[in-house]
Amino acid sequence: MTTMKPTTLFLSFLSISLAYAFPSFDQIQPKTPALPTLLAPRRIDVSGKHAFVPPSADDMRGPCPAMNALANHNYLPHSGYITVEEGTTIPNLVWGFGVDFTELAILLAQVYGSGDGVHFSIGGPPPPSLVPASLFDGQGLSGTHNTFEADSSPTRGDYYAFNGNNHDLQKPFFKSLLAANNNSNGLISGGIIDHRIERYDNSVATNPYFFFGPDSMVISTLTHLFVTNVLPNFDPAHPDGYLSDEDLYTLYGFSIDNDGNLQYNTGHERIPEGWYRRPVDYTHVQAASQIIALGKAAQRTLTPGGNMGEVNSFTPMDMAKLTDGAYTDKTLFEGNNTICFCFQVLQLAMPSQVLASAAFVAGGDTDLLQKWGCPQMKKLNEEMYNKYPGYKKRY
Ligand code: HEM
Ligand SMILES: *[C@@H]1O[C@H](CO)[C@@H](O)[C@H](O)[C@H]1NC(C)=O
Ligand SMILES: *[C@@H]1O[C@H](CO)[C@@H](O)[C@H](O)[C@H]1NC(C)=O
């Protein structure tokens, strides 16, 4: 990160509070991103110029199925090289993903994945055909291991367990996701918690360099929640969402080959036909109650730490040392503390602390932490991360 970055960030934050017109949207009315409820038609057009077009060799696709699908349907540039503005507004319009979360995700993408602070790739570094090699273009989302892209994702492999391939779906993990869906919709009614626990346990048991620092912990928890809260079809018959196995295959880039076998195609994520986004944006408010439920089901999945260079060597961080006494290993799970800690991590553990908190709070309650009765946490002692080999080996 250069010293120029904070200024760039600040400017882009000013600009995202404005309403933009997107001429390419046929069915979706332009709106101010800050509106909490989507007023435009919720059925997402996947025909005509928004029909699925698979990525070509030069198009970039990466770890986020939702961003890949937006590019495949030409809601984002098909190249996968996008602006921070597009990344903040379009996932909100098409997926019903809260602007608080898009701002958070884009801040991370901008700081860690962008070269110029304005553009970034949703996959690896952009090819010279797209961006002159003389300009530094940034590593893209795939190149953000431990700064954004995290271990124990719902379907993607851990960076060190898969030779640096942190962006492709791994079939055993997808099978576990399907099993938790119990043929249809089981993920929504609690199965995602089972899957999250399984993915965490799998990383502990298979990745000697599993790193589960506070940021990675929160991000991989959230991506699991996105599967059941943002990917399902909220058509009029299913106001609480419906996630069929068939839609999971589509959303995660599978197709049926000539022999009738399902085949995974990297980067081919699609929005299903007849898919409706959520009636109300998914924001940190809904996420909070779901994180509490997860904490009740399995505290270990909300306890920062990591493996020590061998499998099954998970060593939790001492919470009192990590948080300067704001929490202890015991109080982390009392009252609202689990969500307090997660949201303070999002605010504090960001590259530029002031800007990050401004960004996250912009989408919601400024006094959320007060309402929850959170202990004050002034800082995270990040030097504690250094004893974990999976952190030192960061990208
Ligand atoms: C706003 C811009 C967005 C950016 C920059 C972004 C970026 C990312 C990144 C870097 C990851 C990898 C995280 C990890 O390794 O755990 C990821 C994963 C994921 N994202 Fe996004 N994302 C965005 C929007 C969305 C939206 C709108 C959804 C809607 C569902 C979404 C759903 C997911 C899911 C489900 C995963 C986990 C993938 C898996 O392992 O199966 N993201 N995203
Ligand atoms: C799976 O679905 C069946 C049939 O609907 C139901 O009886 C069973 O309890 C479900 N299992 C889980 C783990 O949800
Ligand atoms: C947790 O948050 C809720 C909702 O804001 C609040 O009503 C409750 O008092 C909080 N609990 C504690 C122990 O502070």
Side-chain angles (χ1 to χ4, degrees):
M1 202 182 24
T2 70
T3 48
M4 293 291 289
K5 274 285 168 55
T7 322
T8 327
L9 281 175
F10 188 60
L11 289 176
S12 89
F13 269 99
L14 290 179
S15 64
I16 52 184
S17 59
L18 303 173
Y20 290 102
F22 287 102
S24 63
F25 276 61
D26 296 326
Q27 299 201 331
I28 299 164
Q29 301 297 314
K31 70 174 191 67
T32 308
L35 282 180
T37 304
L38 296 159
L39 303 171
R42 294 191 291 112
R43 187 179 169 142
I44 300 303
D45 184 12
V46 291
S47 66
K49 65 184 179 194
H50 292 303
F52 170 74
V53 177
S56 71
D58 268 358
D59 292 331
M60 291 156 285
R61 300 294 183 264
C64 182
M67 298 299 267
N68 291 350
L70 289 175
N72 291 337
H73 287 279
N74 284 303
Y75 281 107
L76 284 173
H78 204 261
S79 65
Y81 192 57
I82 73 168
T83 66
V84 295
E85 252 169 55
E86 290 164 336
T88 307
T89 50
I90 291 180
N92 171 251
L93 289 166
V94 177
W95 289 107
F97 192 65
V99 173
D100 51 353
F101 283 136
T102 64
E103 284 184 356
L104 174 73
I106 293 307
L107 180 79
L108 291 170
Q110 191 176 26
V111 172
Y112 294 115
S114 170
D116 61 7
V118 176
H119 302 86
F120 66 91
S121 151
I122 64 173
S129 60
L130 196 68
V131 180
S134 57
L135 299 172
F136 170 56
D137 344 290
Q139 295 303 306
L141 290 184
S142 301
T144 60
H145 182 58
N146 281 349
T147 52
F148 187 173
E149 190 284 315
D151 286 343
S152 74
S153 310
T155 70
R156 272 51 180 164
D158 289 5
Y159 186 85
Y160 291 111
F162 288 87
N163 285 321
N165 183 345
N166 58 359
H167 51 271
D168 277 335
L169 173 147
Q170 299 299 334
K171 281 186 185 152
F173 305 159
F174 186 72
K175 275 192 187 146
S176 144
L177 191 73
L178 287 176
N181 206 35
N182 195 13
N183 292 318
S184 69
N185 228 31
L187 282 169
I188 291 183
S189 48
I192 194 64
I193 290 188
D194 302 338
H195 182 67
R196 201 290 163 274
I197 296 169
E198 180 164 328
R199 290 295 302 113
Y200 168 90
D201 289 344
N202 175 274
S203 285
V204 172
T206 62
N207 178 4
Y209 300 107
F210 176 38
F211 181 63
F212 203 58
D215 317 53
S216 307
M217 177 188 96
V218 176
I219 285 167
S220 67
T221 299
L222 286 174
T223 54
H224 280 81
L225 297 180
F226 297 159
V227 174
T228 47
N229 289 281
V230 191
L231 297 183
N233 190 346
F234 290 81
D235 66 27
H238 300 99
D240 299 323
Y242 191 80
L243 196 50
S244 64
D245 285 3
E246 201 189 347
D247 280 356
L248 274 174
Y249 280 117
T250 305
L251 288 158
Y252 272 101
F254 284 83
S255 60
I256 299 178
D257 69 16
N258 292 337
D259 301 326
N261 300 316
L262 278 159
Q263 195 179 323
Y264 169 65
N265 312 290
T266 180
H268 285 219
E269 288 88 347
R270 275 167 298 158
I271 299 171
E273 296 277 342
W275 187 89
Y276 288 66
R277 71 186 153 174
R278 303 170 51 85
V280 177
D281 286 1
Y282 184 68
T283 69
H284 63 287
V285 177
Q286 294 101 324
S289 60
Q290 296 168 338
I291 290 172
I292 290 181
L294 179 61
K296 290 205 171 108
Q299 292 187 352
R300 65 186 181 285
T301 68
L302 287 164
T303 301
N307 272 344
M308 302 305 291
E310 289 167 37
V311 299
N312 295 315
S313 60
F314 192 88
T315 306
M317 293 181 186
D318 179 320
M319 285 301 293
K321 278 192 198 148
L322 178 67
T323 65
D324 263 358
Y327 298 90
T328 65
D329 299 343
K330 185 164 169 290
T331 62
L332 179 61
F333 294 100
E334 288 173 0
N336 295 327
N337 284 356
T338 321
I339 41 173
C340 290
F341 178 67
C342 288
F343 285 86
Q344 284 163 330
V345 165
L346 292 179
Q347 292 185 326
L348 270 185
M350 296 287 155
S352 164
Q353 305 186 350
V354 179
L355 289 172
S357 55
F360 199 72
V361 155
D365 296 306
T366 43
D367 60 348
L368 201 57
L369 298 180
Q370 228 173 328
K371 273 197 208 150
W372 288 340
C374 296
Q376 275 215 349
M377 185 176 86
K378 296 219 172 63
K379 65 169 192 158
L380 282 171
N381 288 316
E382 294 186 22
E383 63 278 5
M384 286 178 65
Y385 305 174
N386 290 326
K387 76 170 180 185
Y388 296 96
Y391 176 71
K392 271 198 252 165
K393 285 171 71 124
R394 68 194 261 166
Y395 206 86

